[in-house]
Amino acid sequence: MNKPTPCMVWLPADHRLLGDHGHQMPFLLLGDKYARAVKVGADCQPVMFPLADAGQIPDLLPLVDGVMLTGSPSNVHPAHFDEDVADPSLPLDPVRDELTLALIKACVHEGVPLLGICRGFQEINVALGGTLHQRVHEVPGRMDHREPKGAPYDEQYAPRHAIRLAPGSVFEAWAGGPEVMVNSLHGQGINRLAPGLDAMAHAPDGQVEAVAVQGARTFAYAVQFHPEWRCWETPFYNAIFDAFGKACRQRRSLRLQAADLARAGT
C-alpha cells in the first residue's frame, strides 16, 4: 500500500558566516529544534529551498502545505521599518529579509498556513506594516525579555513569565485557560502593531506575545516565545503545532484535489 504524501512545511534558511575570524565561510542553516517540532509536533515534513529568492515564491509556494518562519540569532533589518540600526554588534540577515517579507504576503494572499516564531513573529509584523522595539529592555516600563546567556539550554528555555490570552481566542483554547507560562528569549519585540494583525496575548509589561492575521482563510498566527522547544513536553506548545499540522493537512487535501481535477481535465 502506498503511503500518503506527507505534508510539507517550508522553513526558510538563515544565512550566516561560520568559522574562525578571518577564515569564515557562508552557511545556510536551519535549527534542529524547529525542524523537529514540525516533524514531531505538526506531523509534517520540514523542507528547505536553500537558495530561494522572492522571485521564486510563485513557483515554490504551490509545492508546500505550510510555512514556518523560525527564530534566529539575526534581527530584521530596521530599514524595513524606517529606522537606523541601534546596535551594530547584533547580527542581521538581509538575504532572509528579502525572502521572508515577501513570503509572508504571499502566504496571506494564497491562504497558505503560516506560523511565525520569535524572528518570524517580528517578520510578520514588519511585513504587514508594523514596527519593532530594537531593544525592549531599554523601553520604559518593559521587562528584560532576554534569556540568561551562558546558562544551560534547559534553563534558557524554561518558563519565564505568564502571558494573558485574548478571551475566546484559539490561544486561550490551546492553553486551556486565560493565562499560561512561556519562555522568553528575545531582545526585540513589537512596537507598533501592524494594521493587519490582532494581538492575541500580552506579557505582564504589555509587550505583545502572540498575533493573528486579520481575515486569514487558514492558520495564520505568530508568537514571540519559543513553542518549538521540546513542544511535545508542554501541552500548550504541542497544541499550537497540532493545530498548525491540521491546517497543513487541510491545505494538502485541497492541493491534491486541485491536481486531480487538473489531470482529469487534460
mmCIF file of all heavy atoms in Angstrom, residues 165-213:
data_model
loop_
_atom_site.group_PDB
_atom_site.id
_atom_site.type_symbol
_atom_site.label_atom_id
_atom_site.label_comp_id
_atom_site.label_asym_id
_atom_site.label_seq_id
_atom_site.Cartn_x
_atom_site.Cartn_y
_atom_site.Cartn_z
ATOM 1 N N LEU A 165 -4.002 35.782 27.645
ATOM 2 C CA LEU A 165 -4.504 35.432 26.323
ATOM 3 C C LEU A 165 -5.834 36.106 26.038
ATOM 4 O O LEU A 165 -6.655 36.311 26.947
ATOM 5 C CB LEU A 165 -4.647 33.915 26.226
ATOM 6 C CG LEU A 165 -3.382 33.131 26.589
ATOM 7 C CD1 LEU A 165 -3.686 31.650 26.737
ATOM 8 C CD2 LEU A 165 -2.304 33.354 25.545
ATOM 9 N N ALA A 166 -6.050 36.466 24.789
ATOM 10 C CA ALA A 166 -7.288 37.134 24.390
ATOM 11 C C ALA A 166 -8.480 36.225 24.673
ATOM 12 O O ALA A 166 -8.484 35.056 24.267
ATOM 13 C CB ALA A 166 -7.233 37.485 22.908
ATOM 14 N N PRO A 167 -9.508 36.737 25.362
ATOM 15 C CA PRO A 167 -10.681 35.912 25.685
ATOM 16 C C PRO A 167 -11.347 35.364 24.423
ATOM 17 O O PRO A 167 -11.544 36.088 23.442
ATOM 18 C CB PRO A 167 -11.606 36.887 26.412
ATOM 19 C CG PRO A 167 -10.708 37.969 26.930
ATOM 20 C CD PRO A 167 -9.611 38.103 25.911
ATOM 21 N N GLY A 168 -11.654 34.085 24.441
ATOM 22 C CA GLY A 168 -12.329 33.460 23.322
ATOM 23 C C GLY A 168 -11.441 33.138 22.138
ATOM 24 O O GLY A 168 -11.924 32.646 21.114
ATOM 25 N N SER A 169 -10.139 33.383 22.265
ATOM 26 C CA SER A 169 -9.216 33.152 21.149
ATOM 27 C C SER A 169 -8.803 31.686 21.083
ATOM 28 O O SER A 169 -8.961 30.919 22.034
ATOM 29 C CB SER A 169 -7.969 34.021 21.301
ATOM 30 O OG SER A 169 -7.202 33.602 22.431
ATOM 31 N N VAL A 170 -8.222 31.318 19.933
ATOM 32 C CA VAL A 170 -7.691 29.956 19.815
ATOM 33 C C VAL A 170 -6.557 29.741 20.808
ATOM 34 O O VAL A 170 -6.354 28.619 21.286
ATOM 35 C CB VAL A 170 -7.210 29.658 18.382
ATOM 36 C CG1 VAL A 170 -8.375 29.596 17.410
ATOM 37 C CG2 VAL A 170 -6.167 30.663 17.927
ATOM 38 N N PHE A 171 -5.835 30.794 21.131
ATOM 39 C CA PHE A 171 -4.742 30.652 22.091
ATOM 40 C C PHE A 171 -5.275 30.285 23.469
ATOM 41 O O PHE A 171 -4.683 29.464 24.169
ATOM 42 C CB PHE A 171 -3.914 31.940 22.158
ATOM 43 C CG PHE A 171 -2.982 32.109 20.991
ATOM 44 C CD1 PHE A 171 -3.369 32.821 19.874
ATOM 45 C CD2 PHE A 171 -1.717 31.540 21.007
ATOM 46 C CE1 PHE A 171 -2.520 32.972 18.786
ATOM 47 C CE2 PHE A 171 -0.857 31.668 19.934
ATOM 48 C CZ PHE A 171 -1.258 32.394 18.814
ATOM 49 N N GLU A 172 -6.385 30.875 23.861
ATOM 50 C CA GLU A 172 -6.995 30.520 25.135
ATOM 51 C C GLU A 172 -7.447 29.059 25.114
ATOM 52 O O GLU A 172 -7.275 28.330 26.101
ATOM 53 C CB GLU A 172 -8.179 31.432 25.432
ATOM 54 C CG GLU A 172 -8.764 31.220 26.824
ATOM 55 C CD GLU A 172 -9.931 32.143 27.106
ATOM 56 O OE1 GLU A 172 -10.890 32.131 26.302
ATOM 57 O OE2 GLU A 172 -9.896 32.863 28.126
ATOM 58 N N ALA A 173 -7.973 28.617 23.975
ATOM 59 C CA ALA A 173 -8.384 27.217 23.851
ATOM 60 C C ALA A 173 -7.176 26.289 23.914
ATOM 61 O O ALA A 173 -7.213 25.248 24.586
ATOM 62 C CB ALA A 173 -9.146 27.019 22.543
ATOM 63 N N TRP A 174 -6.106 26.640 23.223
ATOM 64 C CA TRP A 174 -4.903 25.797 23.228
ATOM 65 C C TRP A 174 -4.290 25.720 24.630
ATOM 66 O O TRP A 174 -3.760 24.683 25.018
ATOM 67 C CB TRP A 174 -3.863 26.351 22.253
ATOM 68 C CG TRP A 174 -4.268 26.265 20.814
ATOM 69 C CD1 TRP A 174 -5.149 25.376 20.258
ATOM 70 C CD2 TRP A 174 -3.826 27.107 19.745
ATOM 71 N NE1 TRP A 174 -5.282 25.617 18.912
ATOM 72 C CE2 TRP A 174 -4.491 26.662 18.565
ATOM 73 C CE3 TRP A 174 -2.949 28.195 19.658
ATOM 74 C CZ2 TRP A 174 -4.290 27.267 17.323
ATOM 75 C CZ3 TRP A 174 -2.737 28.798 18.425
ATOM 76 C CH2 TRP A 174 -3.408 28.339 17.272
ATOM 77 N N ALA A 175 -4.354 26.827 25.377
ATOM 78 C CA ALA A 175 -3.763 26.862 26.717
ATOM 79 C C ALA A 175 -4.682 26.259 27.774
ATOM 80 O O ALA A 175 -4.229 25.908 28.869
ATOM 81 C CB ALA A 175 -3.421 28.296 27.091
ATOM 82 N N GLY A 176 -5.983 26.172 27.468
ATOM 83 C CA GLY A 176 -6.939 25.655 28.439
ATOM 84 C C GLY A 176 -7.275 26.651 29.526
ATOM 85 O O GLY A 176 -7.718 26.269 30.612
ATOM 86 N N GLY A 177 -7.064 27.941 29.248
ATOM 87 C CA GLY A 177 -7.370 28.974 30.228
ATOM 88 C C GLY A 177 -6.894 30.331 29.758
ATOM 89 O O GLY A 177 -6.271 30.457 28.694
ATOM 90 N N PRO A 178 -7.142 31.377 30.546
ATOM 91 C CA PRO A 178 -6.822 32.743 30.108
ATOM 92 C C PRO A 178 -5.371 33.146 30.275
ATOM 93 O O PRO A 178 -4.964 34.213 29.798
ATOM 94 C CB PRO A 178 -7.720 33.607 31.005
ATOM 95 C CG PRO A 178 -7.851 32.804 32.274
ATOM 96 C CD PRO A 178 -7.880 31.375 31.828
ATOM 97 N N GLU A 179 -4.576 32.310 30.944
ATOM 98 C CA GLU A 179 -3.188 32.674 31.218
ATOM 99 C C GLU A 179 -2.323 31.416 31.162
ATOM 100 O O GLU A 179 -2.764 30.328 31.524
ATOM 101 C CB GLU A 179 -3.091 33.339 32.596
ATOM 102 C CG GLU A 179 -1.807 34.085 32.847
ATOM 103 C CD GLU A 179 -1.874 34.927 34.130
ATOM 104 O OE1 GLU A 179 -2.472 36.016 34.111
ATOM 105 O OE2 GLU A 179 -1.329 34.456 35.150
ATOM 106 N N VAL A 180 -1.075 31.593 30.718
ATOM 107 C CA VAL A 180 -0.183 30.441 30.619
ATOM 108 C C VAL A 180 1.258 30.930 30.730
ATOM 109 O O VAL A 180 1.565 32.073 30.348
ATOM 110 C CB VAL A 180 -0.406 29.688 29.281
ATOM 111 C CG1 VAL A 180 -0.008 30.547 28.085
ATOM 112 C CG2 VAL A 180 0.296 28.348 29.257
ATOM 113 N N MET A 181 2.138 30.096 31.250
ATOM 114 C CA MET A 181 3.552 30.425 31.356
ATOM 115 C C MET A 181 4.267 30.090 30.052
ATOM 116 O O MET A 181 3.988 29.071 29.420
ATOM 117 C CB MET A 181 4.201 29.644 32.496
ATOM 118 C CG MET A 181 3.734 30.042 33.883
ATOM 119 S SD MET A 181 4.266 31.714 34.356
ATOM 120 C CE MET A 181 6.055 31.486 34.462
ATOM 121 N N VAL A 182 5.219 30.970 29.656
ATOM 122 C CA VAL A 182 6.007 30.738 28.444
ATOM 123 C C VAL A 182 7.468 31.076 28.716
ATOM 124 O O VAL A 182 7.800 31.760 29.688
ATOM 125 C CB VAL A 182 5.502 31.584 27.255
ATOM 126 C CG1 VAL A 182 4.085 31.188 26.864
ATOM 127 C CG2 VAL A 182 5.595 33.078 27.558
ATOM 128 N N ASN A 183 8.332 30.617 27.817
ATOM 129 C CA ASN A 183 9.737 31.001 27.889
ATOM 130 C C ASN A 183 9.923 32.394 27.287
ATOM 131 O O ASN A 183 8.980 32.981 26.739
ATOM 132 C CB ASN A 183 10.624 29.956 27.195
ATOM 133 C CG ASN A 183 10.154 29.636 25.787
ATOM 134 O OD1 ASN A 183 9.673 30.490 25.062
ATOM 135 N ND2 ASN A 183 10.292 28.379 25.389
ATOM 136 N N SER A 184 11.136 32.920 27.353
ATOM 137 C CA SER A 184 11.386 34.281 26.861
ATOM 138 C C SER A 184 12.848 34.400 26.465
ATOM 139 O O SER A 184 13.731 34.322 27.317
ATOM 140 C CB SER A 184 11.034 35.306 27.945
ATOM 141 O OG SER A 184 11.141 36.627 27.458
ATOM 142 N N LEU A 185 13.087 34.603 25.157
ATOM 143 C CA LEU A 185 14.465 34.634 24.648
ATOM 144 C C LEU A 185 14.584 35.666 23.521
ATOM 145 O O LEU A 185 15.005 35.364 22.415
ATOM 146 C CB LEU A 185 14.900 33.260 24.125
ATOM 147 C CG LEU A 185 14.914 32.089 25.097
ATOM 148 C CD1 LEU A 185 13.613 31.297 25.078
ATOM 149 C CD2 LEU A 185 16.079 31.156 24.781
ATOM 150 N N HIS A 186 14.187 36.906 23.791
ATOM 151 C CA HIS A 186 14.221 37.906 22.724
ATOM 152 C C HIS A 186 14.639 39.272 23.253
ATOM 153 O O HIS A 186 14.289 39.657 24.360
ATOM 154 C CB HIS A 186 12.858 38.007 22.023
ATOM 155 C CG HIS A 186 11.729 38.458 22.910
ATOM 156 N ND1 HIS A 186 11.239 39.742 22.895
ATOM 157 C CD2 HIS A 186 10.991 37.790 23.831
ATOM 158 C CE1 HIS A 186 10.242 39.839 23.759
ATOM 159 N NE2 HIS A 186 10.080 38.674 24.347
ATOM 160 N N GLY A 187 15.396 39.969 22.418
ATOM 161 C CA GLY A 187 15.797 41.333 22.743
ATOM 162 C C GLY A 187 14.942 42.360 22.052
ATOM 163 O O GLY A 187 14.814 43.493 22.514
ATOM 164 N N GLN A 188 14.371 41.975 20.892
ATOM 165 C CA GLN A 188 13.496 42.869 20.143
ATOM 166 C C GLN A 188 12.050 42.428 20.322
ATOM 167 O O GLN A 188 11.777 41.326 20.800
ATOM 168 C CB GLN A 188 13.880 42.869 18.670
ATOM 169 C CG GLN A 188 15.335 43.271 18.428
ATOM 170 C CD GLN A 188 15.584 43.829 17.050
ATOM 171 O OE1 GLN A 188 14.833 43.591 16.116
ATOM 172 N NE2 GLN A 188 16.648 44.613 16.917
ATOM 173 N N GLY A 189 11.119 43.288 19.938
ATOM 174 C CA GLY A 189 9.705 42.953 20.065
ATOM 175 C C GLY A 189 8.854 43.994 19.365
ATOM 176 O O GLY A 189 9.354 45.026 18.901
ATOM 177 N N ILE A 190 7.572 43.725 19.306
ATOM 178 C CA ILE A 190 6.663 44.630 18.592
ATOM 179 C C ILE A 190 6.574 45.983 19.295
ATOM 180 O O ILE A 190 6.399 46.059 20.507
ATOM 181 C CB ILE A 190 5.265 44.000 18.462
ATOM 182 C CG1 ILE A 190 5.291 42.880 17.414
ATOM 183 C CG2 ILE A 190 4.217 45.043 18.083
ATOM 184 C CD1 ILE A 190 3.961 42.177 17.213
ATOM 185 N N ASN A 191 6.692 47.027 18.501
ATOM 186 C CA ASN A 191 6.431 48.390 18.958
ATOM 187 C C ASN A 191 5.029 48.768 18.476
ATOM 188 O O ASN A 191 4.072 48.674 19.221
ATOM 189 C CB ASN A 191 7.507 49.340 18.426
ATOM 190 C CG ASN A 191 7.294 50.783 18.850
ATOM 191 O OD1 ASN A 191 6.350 51.076 19.590
ATOM 192 N ND2 ASN A 191 8.134 51.678 18.402
ATOM 193 N N ARG A 192 4.918 49.165 17.205
ATOM 194 C CA ARG A 192 3.595 49.440 16.646
ATOM 195 C C ARG A 192 3.077 48.189 15.958
ATOM 196 O O ARG A 192 3.717 47.641 15.067
ATOM 197 C CB ARG A 192 3.658 50.596 15.636
ATOM 198 C CG ARG A 192 2.261 51.016 15.122
ATOM 199 C CD ARG A 192 2.326 52.120 14.087
ATOM 200 N NE ARG A 192 2.837 51.628 12.809
ATOM 201 C CZ ARG A 192 3.970 52.011 12.276
ATOM 202 N NH1 ARG A 192 4.760 52.872 12.890
ATOM 203 N NH2 ARG A 192 4.358 51.520 11.102
ATOM 204 N N LEU A 193 1.921 47.728 16.390
ATOM 205 C CA LEU A 193 1.318 46.528 15.804
ATOM 206 C C LEU A 193 0.864 46.836 14.384
ATOM 207 O O LEU A 193 0.257 47.882 14.117
ATOM 208 C CB LEU A 193 0.134 46.077 16.652
ATOM 209 C CG LEU A 193 -0.533 44.754 16.289
ATOM 210 C CD1 LEU A 193 0.401 43.584 16.553
ATOM 211 C CD2 LEU A 193 -1.834 44.574 17.067
ATOM 212 N N ALA A 194 1.163 45.923 13.460
ATOM 213 C CA ALA A 194 0.760 46.109 12.070
ATOM 214 C C ALA A 194 -0.758 46.207 11.972
ATOM 215 O O ALA A 194 -1.484 45.528 12.708
ATOM 216 C CB ALA A 194 1.268 44.951 11.222
ATOM 217 N N PRO A 195 -1.257 47.034 11.055
ATOM 218 C CA PRO A 195 -2.714 47.177 10.921
ATOM 219 C C PRO A 195 -3.420 45.897 10.508
ATOM 220 O O PRO A 195 -4.626 45.769 10.708
ATOM 221 C CB PRO A 195 -2.862 48.267 9.842
ATOM 222 C CG PRO A 195 -1.549 48.325 9.150
ATOM 223 C CD PRO A 195 -0.527 47.923 10.153
ATOM 224 N N GLY A 196 -2.694 44.919 9.949
ATOM 225 C CA GLY A 196 -3.308 43.666 9.536
ATOM 226 C C GLY A 196 -3.266 42.580 10.583
ATOM 227 O O GLY A 196 -3.585 41.423 10.276
ATOM 228 N N LEU A 197 -2.883 42.934 11.820
ATOM 229 C CA LEU A 197 -2.749 41.934 12.882
ATOM 230 C C LEU A 197 -3.631 42.262 14.077
ATOM 231 O O LEU A 197 -3.906 43.435 14.359
ATOM 232 C CB LEU A 197 -1.291 41.853 13.358
ATOM 233 C CG LEU A 197 -0.245 41.382 12.353
ATOM 234 C CD1 LEU A 197 1.134 41.429 12.980
ATOM 235 C CD2 LEU A 197 -0.553 39.978 11.842
ATOM 236 N N ASP A 198 -4.043 41.223 14.788
ATOM 237 C CA ASP A 198 -4.716 41.359 16.078
ATOM 238 C C ASP A 198 -3.826 40.767 17.153
ATOM 239 O O ASP A 198 -3.281 39.665 16.973
ATOM 240 C CB ASP A 198 -6.060 40.623 16.085
ATOM 241 C CG ASP A 198 -7.100 41.291 15.208
ATOM 242 O OD1 ASP A 198 -7.144 42.537 15.177
ATOM 243 O OD2 ASP A 198 -7.865 40.563 14.543
ATOM 244 N N ALA A 199 -3.654 41.471 18.272
ATOM 245 C CA ALA A 199 -2.882 40.947 19.393
ATOM 246 C C ALA A 199 -3.687 39.864 20.099
ATOM 247 O O ALA A 199 -4.849 40.075 20.459
ATOM 248 C CB ALA A 199 -2.531 42.066 20.363
ATOM 249 N N MET A 200 -3.062 38.721 20.309
ATOM 250 C CA MET A 200 -3.715 37.578 20.925
ATOM 251 C C MET A 200 -3.217 37.295 22.342
ATOM 252 O O MET A 200 -3.827 36.509 23.066
ATOM 253 C CB MET A 200 -3.502 36.326 20.073
ATOM 254 C CG MET A 200 -4.196 36.340 18.725
ATOM 255 S SD MET A 200 -5.986 36.051 18.824
ATOM 256 C CE MET A 200 -6.597 37.721 18.588
ATOM 257 N N ALA A 201 -2.065 37.905 22.717
ATOM 258 C CA ALA A 201 -1.518 37.666 24.053
ATOM 259 C C ALA A 201 -0.571 38.801 24.408
ATOM 260 O O ALA A 201 0.072 39.392 23.532
ATOM 261 C CB ALA A 201 -0.779 36.329 24.108
ATOM 262 N N HIS A 202 -0.476 39.088 25.717
ATOM 263 C CA HIS A 202 0.434 40.117 26.208
ATOM 264 C C HIS A 202 1.193 39.603 27.423
ATOM 265 O O HIS A 202 0.655 38.831 28.233
ATOM 266 C CB HIS A 202 -0.333 41.384 26.615
ATOM 267 C CG HIS A 202 -0.954 42.118 25.470
ATOM 268 N ND1 HIS A 202 -2.203 41.794 24.977
ATOM 269 C CD2 HIS A 202 -0.491 43.158 24.718
ATOM 270 C CE1 HIS A 202 -2.497 42.613 23.976
ATOM 271 N NE2 HIS A 202 -1.481 43.447 23.799
ATOM 272 N N ALA A 203 2.442 40.034 27.547
ATOM 273 C CA ALA A 203 3.234 39.792 28.757
ATOM 274 C C ALA A 203 2.753 40.730 29.859
ATOM 275 O O ALA A 203 2.004 41.680 29.599
ATOM 276 C CB ALA A 203 4.712 40.026 28.447
ATOM 277 N N PRO A 204 3.198 40.510 31.093
ATOM 278 C CA PRO A 204 2.769 41.392 32.188
ATOM 279 C C PRO A 204 3.123 42.856 31.981
ATOM 280 O O PRO A 204 2.448 43.744 32.527
ATOM 281 C CB PRO A 204 3.515 40.813 33.405
ATOM 282 C CG PRO A 204 3.717 39.373 33.070
ATOM 283 C CD PRO A 204 3.976 39.348 31.594
ATOM 284 N N ASP A 205 4.156 43.138 31.189
ATOM 285 C CA ASP A 205 4.551 44.527 30.946
ATOM 286 C C ASP A 205 3.842 45.139 29.742
ATOM 287 O O ASP A 205 4.133 46.267 29.344
ATOM 288 C CB ASP A 205 6.073 44.625 30.748
ATOM 289 C CG ASP A 205 6.586 43.813 29.565
ATOM 290 O OD1 ASP A 205 5.766 43.136 28.909
ATOM 291 O OD2 ASP A 205 7.802 43.852 29.298
ATOM 292 N N GLY A 206 2.920 44.401 29.128
ATOM 293 C CA GLY A 206 2.179 44.905 27.985
ATOM 294 C C GLY A 206 2.764 44.545 26.636
ATOM 295 O O GLY A 206 2.164 44.837 25.596
ATOM 296 N N GLN A 207 3.936 43.901 26.614
ATOM 297 C CA GLN A 207 4.557 43.523 25.344
ATOM 298 C C GLN A 207 3.708 42.461 24.641
ATOM 299 O O GLN A 207 3.276 41.486 25.262
ATOM 300 C CB GLN A 207 5.965 42.981 25.605
ATOM 301 C CG GLN A 207 6.819 42.834 24.361
ATOM 302 C CD GLN A 207 7.124 44.160 23.687
ATOM 303 O OE1 GLN A 207 7.403 45.153 24.357
ATOM 304 N NE2 GLN A 207 7.047 44.181 22.375
ATOM 305 N N VAL A 208 3.461 42.658 23.354
ATOM 306 C CA VAL A 208 2.661 41.706 22.586
ATOM 307 C C VAL A 208 3.436 40.398 22.441
ATOM 308 O O VAL A 208 4.611 40.397 22.064
ATOM 309 C CB VAL A 208 2.308 42.270 21.199
ATOM 310 C CG1 VAL A 208 1.534 41.234 20.385
ATOM 311 C CG2 VAL A 208 1.493 43.554 21.327
ATOM 312 N N GLU A 209 2.765 39.276 22.730
ATOM 313 C CA GLU A 209 3.419 37.965 22.708
ATOM 314 C C GLU A 209 2.839 37.010 21.676
ATOM 315 O O GLU A 209 3.448 35.976 21.389
ATOM 316 C CB GLU A 209 3.317 37.318 24.093
ATOM 317 C CG GLU A 209 4.165 37.996 25.159
ATOM 318 C CD GLU A 209 5.622 37.526 25.150
ATOM 319 O OE1 GLU A 209 5.895 36.455 24.584
ATOM 320 O OE2 GLU A 209 6.480 38.230 25.715
ATOM 321 N N ALA A 210 1.686 37.335 21.101
ATOM 322 C CA ALA A 210 1.102 36.483 20.062
ATOM 323 C C ALA A 210 0.180 37.329 19.205
ATOM 324 O O ALA A 210 -0.439 38.285 19.698
ATOM 325 C CB ALA A 210 0.327 35.318 20.671
ATOM 326 N N VAL A 211 0.099 36.986 17.925
ATOM 327 C CA VAL A 211 -0.741 37.738 16.996
ATOM 328 C C VAL A 211 -1.476 36.786 16.070
ATOM 329 O O VAL A 211 -1.065 35.638 15.874
ATOM 330 C CB VAL A 211 0.080 38.740 16.140
ATOM 331 C CG1 VAL A 211 0.705 39.811 17.021
ATOM 332 C CG2 VAL A 211 1.135 38.020 15.307
ATOM 333 N N ALA A 212 -2.555 37.298 15.486
ATOM 334 C CA ALA A 212 -3.307 36.598 14.446
ATOM 335 C C ALA A 212 -3.441 37.528 13.253
ATOM 336 O O ALA A 212 -3.622 38.743 13.422
ATOM 337 C CB ALA A 212 -4.691 36.199 14.951
ATOM 338 N N VAL A 213 -3.347 36.978 12.058
ATOM 339 C CA VAL A 213 -3.546 37.766 10.842
ATOM 340 C C VAL A 213 -5.036 37.966 10.645
ATOM 341 O O VAL A 213 -5.811 37.007 10.608
ATOM 342 C CB VAL A 213 -2.932 37.064 9.618
ATOM 343 C CG1 VAL A 213 -3.231 37.846 8.344
ATOM 344 C CG2 VAL A 213 -1.421 36.906 9.799
#
